[in-house]
């Protein structure tokens, strides 16, 4: 058999390697890179490659990154009706791509976007590439490395929840207190289009589950007038919390986090003033700050930040602003009643508990990754890992809550697993918006009764204290005193 070239070995080895690669722990991240714009493998090979990637990713529980640079490989085509390379590639490989993207742990590494930004002529060095199998220029290597680093950090970090915005020279050009409502600029003309498109970008983030807030040194009446009198994409009501005064911004950012019951590291703060960004970063470790310059190229770069990306967007995400708005209504009711028992009675809380319900798994997976404050064991699980728990005889109790103000959505999870003659509580977590109404107490009591009636009442629970789960720590006393449960502290079993 003749000796294979490097490129032929690449073609022969990659697909079998992926097919034979074993399942690895969930903390393993795979980057599968095959640049067909350079290699030009036949379409049949590329289809088989995508099918193999799908099978590979389906066996893994950890994230898989896949480069998206496909090609038509010089195959014949009629130019009449040809929609261009990118559209043609999307159509040709659509079934294989849709299968890959249906997997919750597979994410695209957008190599095609990097090539578009730099330009193919500046991205590839074809002669050296074919000689040494290193087809990229130094700018391309720098861009790939930078993008890969950001995407890996994003996969390992908690998603952002709140975007906090300055107003003057950020949401519009000009200073409303000096230029007046009619003097600020935010429109489709040259001077205002950066700000207009930025507001459109932010408006769409609401649909992804981000909460928008204002933090501006200004007179509130001027800012409100700007939103109500000028036709801009964002409206006054789009902002869930508004801190518009002359106090230090870091104090206002702390207040926003407390009011929304989220950590500082859940916030993105965007301002045109570098002094404010540096000051708030110094005073609030963990805060993410982004500089808005008003330059359109900088604006496009800002919108591509991984801080704005969501791994999945569920029904609860699209309703998040409204959910927080109804929570503000509940807080007003609490202020009016002045008594916690009367407040809870007035809410008319209703609970629905599910057990091992397949339709809940995607949202439960999201909860395990996002919930921090009331979380016995901070450990994110994929939907596949939750399915495996059910297959092993574990119980996943899910909680939906509603009251007279509206639906909270799916907000709670208790995971138990059989040990000897009873069940061990593997984890107990609740969304922060459901806390403070004794819902967690009622939820646990109902789950305890269900297990007790089945003769498998829990006797122990696993708990790992963190800097952020103090609300969960406070709940331990109820479990130990009222239910005589004992804790297994800091002992998290190996992942499935």
């Amino acid at each position: 058999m003749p000796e294979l070239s490097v490129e032929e070995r690449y073609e022969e080895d990659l697909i079998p390697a992926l097919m034979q690669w074993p399942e690895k722990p969930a903390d393993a991240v795979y980057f599968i890179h095959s640049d067909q714009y350079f290699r030009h493998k036949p379409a049949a090979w590329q289809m088989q490659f995508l099918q193999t990637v799908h099978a590979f990713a389906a066996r893994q529980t950890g994230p898989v990154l896949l480069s998206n640079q496909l090609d038509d490989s010089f195959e014949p085509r009629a130019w009449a009706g040809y929609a261009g390379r990118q559209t043609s590639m999307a159509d040709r490989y659509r079934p294989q791509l849709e299968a890959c993207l249906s997997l919750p742990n597979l994410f695209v590494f957008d190599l095609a976007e990097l090539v578009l930004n730099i330009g193919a002529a500046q991205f590839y060095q074809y002669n050296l590439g074919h000689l040494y199998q290193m087809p990229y220029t130094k700018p391309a290597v720098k861009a790939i490395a930078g993008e890969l680093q950001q995407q890996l950090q994003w996969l390992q970090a908690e998603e952002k929840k709140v975007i906090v915005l300055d107003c003057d020279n950020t949401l519009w050009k000009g200073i409303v207190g000096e230029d007046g409502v009619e003097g600020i600029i935010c429109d489709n003309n040259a001077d205002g289009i950066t700000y207009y498109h930025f507001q459109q970008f932010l408006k769409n983030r609401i649909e992804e589950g981000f909460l928008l807030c204002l933090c501006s040194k200004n007179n509130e009446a001027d800012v409100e007038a700007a939103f109500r009198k000028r036709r801009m994409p964002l409206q006054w009501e789009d902002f869930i919390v508004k801190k518009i005064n002359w106090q230090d911004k870091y104090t206002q950012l702390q207040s926003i986090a407390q009011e929304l019951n989220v950590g500082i590291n859940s916030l993105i703060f965007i301002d045109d003033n570098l002094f404010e960004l540096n000051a708030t970063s110094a005073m609030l470790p963990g805060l993410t700050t982004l500089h808005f310059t008003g330059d359109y190229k900088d604006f496009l770069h800002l919108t591509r930040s991984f801080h704005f990306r969501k791994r999945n967007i569920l029904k609860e995400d699209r309703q998040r602003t409204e959910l927080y708005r109804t929570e503000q209504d509940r807080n007003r009711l609490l202020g009016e009643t002045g008594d916690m028992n009367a407040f809870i009675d007035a809410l008319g809380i209703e609970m629905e508990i599910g057990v091992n319900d397949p339709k809940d798994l995607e949202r439960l997976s999201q909860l395990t990754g996002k919930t921090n404050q009331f979380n016995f064991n901070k450990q994110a699980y994929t939907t596949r890992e939750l399915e495996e728990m059910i297959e092993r005889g574990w119980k996943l109790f899910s909680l939906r809550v509603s009251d007279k103000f509206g639906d909270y959505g799916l907000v709670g999870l208790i995971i138990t697993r059989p040990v000897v003659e009873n069940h061990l509580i593997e984890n107990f977590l609740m969304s922060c918006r459901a806390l403070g109404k004794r819902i967690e107490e009622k939820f646990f009591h109902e789950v305890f009764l269900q297990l007790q009636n089945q003769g498998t009442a829990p006797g122990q629970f696993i708990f790992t204290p963190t800097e952020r789960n103090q609300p969960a720590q406070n709940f331990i006393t109820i479990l130990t005193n009222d239910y005589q449960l004992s804790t297994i502290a800091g002992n998290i079993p190996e992942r499935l």
Side-chain angles (χ1 to χ4, degrees):
M1 179 178 179
E3 183 178 351
L4 297 175
S5 69
V6 172
E7 189 162 340
E8 288 170 330
R9 288 201 302 272
Y10 168 89
E11 180 177 351
E12 283 210 350
D13 295 346
L14 181 58
I15 290 178
L18 289 174
M19 293 174 66
Q20 298 168 14
W21 198 267
E23 179 181 345
K24 292 293 184 180
D27 55 358
V29 180
Y30 292 95
F31 177 36
I32 302 176
H33 181 72
S34 177
D35 187 346
Q36 294 308 314
Y37 191 78
F38 172 74
R39 295 194 176 276
H40 299 291
K41 295 299 177 190
W45 186 94
Q46 294 181 59
M47 290 178 183
Q48 184 185 4
F49 168 70
L50 292 172
Q51 291 168 350
T52 305
V53 169
H54 174 268
F56 169 83
R59 295 197 307 272
Q60 307 302 323
T61 53
V64 177
L65 301 183
L66 172 64
S67 288
N68 64 342
Q69 193 73 317
L70 300 169
D71 194 67
D72 60 4
S73 303
F74 314 120
E75 294 191 359
R77 61 170 172 264
W79 286 90
Y82 179 63
R85 178 177 173 273
Q86 291 299 329
T87 303
S88 175
M89 294 307 96
D91 289 341
R92 178 183 290 259
Y93 302 109
R94 187 177 303 280
Q96 294 80 20
L97 287 171
E98 288 182 349
C100 286
L101 296 176
S102 69
L103 298 173
N105 65 323
L106 190 143
F107 303 90
V108 165
F109 177 80
D110 202 349
L111 184 68
E113 177 75 10
L114 297 181
V115 176
L116 178 65
N117 292 337
I118 295 176
Q122 284 73 45
F123 200 90
Y124 292 99
Q125 47 182 8
Y126 294 101
N127 292 334
L128 290 177
H130 290 123
L131 184 61
Y132 298 115
Q133 297 302 303
M134 181 54 205
Y136 303 123
T137 63
K138 288 183 179 180
V141 171
K142 182 178 179 180
I144 292 172
E147 185 80 359
L148 183 59
Q149 180 185 32
Q150 289 184 61
Q151 192 159 5
L152 290 174
Q153 290 173 342
W154 170 72
L155 286 169
Q156 296 167 355
E158 295 176 14
E159 291 182 348
K160 304 299 179 183
K161 300 177 181 178
V162 185
I163 304 173
V164 186
L165 297 140
D166 178 43
C167 293
D168 294 331
N169 291 314
T170 302
L171 291 178
W172 52 69
K173 184 176 182 179
I175 301 173
V176 68
E178 297 179 4
D179 301 321
V181 171
E182 299 304 323
I184 61 174
I185 304 173
C186 179
D187 53 34
N188 277 312
N189 296 317
D191 285 345
I193 196 166
T194 303
Y195 303 90
Y196 192 87
H197 284 177
F198 184 41
Q199 287 201 25
Q200 287 182 324
F201 169 79
L202 293 167
K203 186 86 170 182
N204 288 332
R205 303 289 75 73
I206 297 175
E207 293 297 311
E208 294 178 352
F210 281 101
L211 301 174
L212 300 188
C213 301
L214 293 177
C215 181
S216 175
K217 290 181 177 178
N218 243 313
N219 293 316
E220 183 168 341
D222 293 338
V223 174
E224 183 176 359
F227 282 105
R228 297 204 182 280
K229 295 181 179 180
R230 296 294 302 271
R231 296 183 63 182
M232 299 184 292
L234 288 173
Q235 300 174 353
W236 180 249
E237 290 76 18
D238 287 326
F239 300 95
I240 195 73
V241 178
K242 310 171 186 76
K243 299 295 181 182
I244 305 170
N245 50 51
W246 301 98
Q247 297 183 31
D248 291 325
K249 289 193 175 182
Y250 74 86
T251 304
Q252 301 307 305
L253 289 168
Q254 285 180 312
S255 178
I256 289 172
Q258 291 169 0
E259 193 167 330
L260 295 176
N261 201 15
V262 299
I264 287 293
N265 64 342
S266 295
L267 272 57
I268 304 170
F269 177 45
I270 305 175
D271 201 318
D272 68 298
N273 190 321
L274 282 173
F275 172 80
E276 296 287 5
L277 295 174
N278 292 332
T280 53
S281 292
M283 297 299 296
L284 300 172
L287 176 69
T288 295
T289 60
L290 297 176
H291 186 210
F292 188 84
T293 67
D295 178 79
Y296 202 87
K297 182 179 178 180
D298 292 342
F299 154 67
L300 290 178
H301 180 73
L302 181 146
T303 63
R304 288 193 287 266
S305 169
F306 278 88
H307 294 306
F308 297 112
R309 301 192 185 187
K310 297 284 189 179
R311 295 178 185 87
N312 296 290
I313 301 174
L314 307 180
K315 176 183 176 183
E316 287 83 358
D317 298 309
R318 301 186 189 281
Q319 299 173 337
R320 182 154 288 118
T321 292
E322 190 58 36
L323 291 171
Y324 272 86
R325 209 179 300 285
T326 55
E327 186 62 21
Q328 291 174 330
D329 293 336
R330 295 183 185 102
N331 291 335
R332 279 190 287 272
L333 176 62
L334 175 59
E336 293 169 3
T337 57
D339 177 79
M340 179 58 70
N341 291 328
F343 166 65
I344 292 174
D345 290 340
L347 284 176
I349 294 172
E350 296 184 359
M351 296 169 38
E352 178 186 342
I353 298 175
V355 185
N356 293 348
D357 193 334
K359 73 175 185 296
D360 292 341
L361 296 185
E362 190 173 13
R363 168 60 177 162
L364 293 178
S365 171
Q366 186 185 61
L367 271 180
T368 65
K370 286 187 172 183
T371 306
N372 294 295
Q373 297 181 66
F374 197 100
N375 193 329
F376 277 28
N377 292 300
K378 178 61 179 179
Q379 189 164 343
Y381 290 106
T382 66
T383 54
R384 180 58 194 145
E385 287 178 304
L386 295 177
E387 289 171 348
E388 289 175 354
M389 290 179 183
I390 296 172
E391 292 168 3
R392 293 184 177 210
W394 296 28
K395 291 187 181 295
L396 277 58
F397 295 90
S398 55
L399 174 67
R400 284 183 167 82
V401 178
S402 62
D403 63 21
K404 74 173 189 176
F405 288 104
D407 189 2
Y408 294 67
L410 200 162
V411 293
L413 169 65
I414 294 176
I415 301 175
T416 71
R417 60 183 169 98
V419 288
V420 192
E421 296 180 354
N422 56 18
H423 269 235
L424 169 71
I425 297 173
E426 180 81 14
N427 203 356
F428 182 13
L429 56 91
M430 294 279 296
S431 171
C432 61
R433 67 172 177 267
L435 298 178
K437 307 172 187 71
R438 297 176 186 155
I439 295 173
E440 61 274 21
E441 298 177 28
K442 296 177 182 178
F443 180 32
F444 182 83
H445 184 69
E446 290 299 322
V447 169
F448 185 87
L449 288 179
Q450 284 192 32
L451 292 172
Q452 187 179 58
N453 291 336
Q454 296 167 8
T456 58
Q460 292 180 309
F461 61 93
I462 299 174
F463 189 89
T464 304
T466 70
E467 293 180 356
R468 302 175 63 187
N469 71 348
Q470 188 61 49
Q473 296 180 47
N474 296 338
F475 192 77
I476 290 179
T477 303
I478 294 177
L479 299 185
T480 55
N481 292 347
D482 296 356
Y483 297 91
Q484 287 77 54
L485 269 64
S486 60
T487 178
I488 305 175
N491 179 19
I492 297 226
E494 291 184 3
R495 300 179 69 96
L496 295 174

